[in-house]
């Protein structure tokens, strides 16, 4: 039922715009009552962003289980598999969902808050992998840079016609790897 509601909402958002499609419109399109809508989703934003539920915890788990000898950059890239999996399968649906998130201020703001929550979770694992205290700025910065790398790849992919997101992610991580090779000195 959640997927039916999601599909109906996405269809209406793309056709009429996010702000012009109401919960009543979505409920009617999905063939459900308004009450059922709110039983499934707390808000219109959640209809689109619910696909990301649990992804942060999955990424943290994967990061925690990566080999200790592996570079943090490689570990982070591998830990993002659950996030990448959300954008495979029905590529046009995934691309439309991402375009909607990127182009709708309310959804973009909510998505950025979600990414921030992932950064917090990932930073703890980055700190452990780097052998630093969680309060050190480097683990949080590392997690943010990795999340920003994914965001850049999403932006690029959402405006391309190719189906594969993975090459965009790999290319942005390769650029990040080049930047990190410069190894700027940390202030003391």
């Amino acid at each position: 039922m959640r997927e039916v509601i999601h599909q109906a909402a996405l269809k209406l958002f793309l056709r009429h715009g996010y702000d012009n499609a109401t919960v009543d419109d979505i409920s009617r399109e999905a063939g459900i009552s308004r009450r059922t809508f709110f039983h499934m989703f707390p808000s219109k934003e959640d209809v689109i962003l619910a696909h990301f539920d649990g992804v942060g915890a999955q990424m943290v788990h994967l990061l925690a289980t990566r080999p200790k000898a592996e570079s943090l950059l490689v570990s982070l890239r591998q830990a993002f598999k659950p996030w990448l999996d959300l954008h495979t399968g029905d590529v046009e649906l995934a691309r439309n969902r991402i375009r909607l998130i990127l182009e709708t201020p309310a959804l973009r703001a909510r998505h950025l808050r979600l990414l921030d929550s992932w950064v917090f979770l990932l930073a703890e694992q980055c700190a452990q992998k780097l052998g630093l205290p969680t309060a050190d700025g480097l683990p949080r910065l590392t997690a943010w840079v990795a999340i920003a790398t994914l965001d850049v790849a999403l932006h690029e992919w959402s405006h391309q016609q190719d189906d594969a997101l993975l090459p965009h992610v790999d290319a942005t991580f390769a650029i990040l790897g080049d930047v990190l090779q410069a190894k700027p000195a940390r202030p003391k």
Side-chain angles (χ1 to χ4, degrees):
M1 180 55 67
R2 288 173 64 87
E3 187 59 30
V4 169
I5 298 168
H6 173 78
Q7 295 280 344
L10 187 58
K11 178 180 168 184
L12 289 171
F13 294 158
L14 293 171
R15 187 182 310 146
H16 302 293
Y18 177 80
D19 292 328
N20 296 324
T22 67
V23 169
D24 290 331
D25 296 333
I26 297 166
S27 299
R28 203 170 17 263
E29 182 74 24
I32 61 167
S33 69
R34 181 180 172 87
R35 182 178 172 164
T36 300
F37 176 92
F38 284 114
H39 178 70
M40 297 289 193
F41 299 100
S43 70
K44 277 190 345 181
E45 292 170 356
D46 291 301
V47 172
I48 298 301
L49 296 172
H51 274 77
F52 300 105
D53 288 350
V55 171
Q58 292 172 4
M59 291 188 309
V60 168
H61 173 73
L62 284 175
L63 183 56
T65 60
R66 299 302 303 167
K68 290 185 187 261
E70 187 174 66
S71 80
L72 183 53
L73 183 62
V74 170
S75 293
L76 282 164
R77 166 61 191 81
Q78 295 303 315
F80 291 143
K81 184 178 179 341
W83 181 87
L84 289 169
D85 289 347
L86 292 174
H87 303 90
T88 58
D90 187 339
V91 174
E92 196 56 34
L93 173 69
R95 192 184 322 272
N96 284 334
R97 182 174 43 241
I98 291 305
R99 283 185 191 143
L100 186 65
I101 290 169
L102 296 175
E103 296 169 4
T104 305
L107 292 173
R108 181 67 177 150
R110 179 86 177 272
H111 188 248
L112 288 172
R113 286 193 308 272
L114 176 66
L115 296 180
D116 186 52
S117 71
W118 292 353
V119 167
F120 178 79
L121 296 172
L122 290 168
E124 290 180 16
Q125 287 302 316
C126 288
Q128 288 182 16
K129 192 147 177 86
L130 292 168
L132 295 171
T134 304
D136 189 282
L138 184 59
R140 186 164 173 82
L141 177 63
T142 303
W144 254 123
V145 169
I147 291 289
T149 302
L150 288 176
D151 198 51
V152 167
L154 257 190
H155 275 273
E156 290 177 0
W157 174 73
S158 72
H159 292 94
Q160 302 293 323
Q161 295 305 314
D162 59 340
D163 287 346
L165 173 59
L166 185 59
H168 293 278
V169 172
D170 288 341
T172 55
F173 266 87
I175 293 166
L176 177 59
D178 291 344
V179 169
L180 293 176
Q181 290 302 318
K183 294 192 181 201
R186 287 181 66 195
K188 302 216 180 214

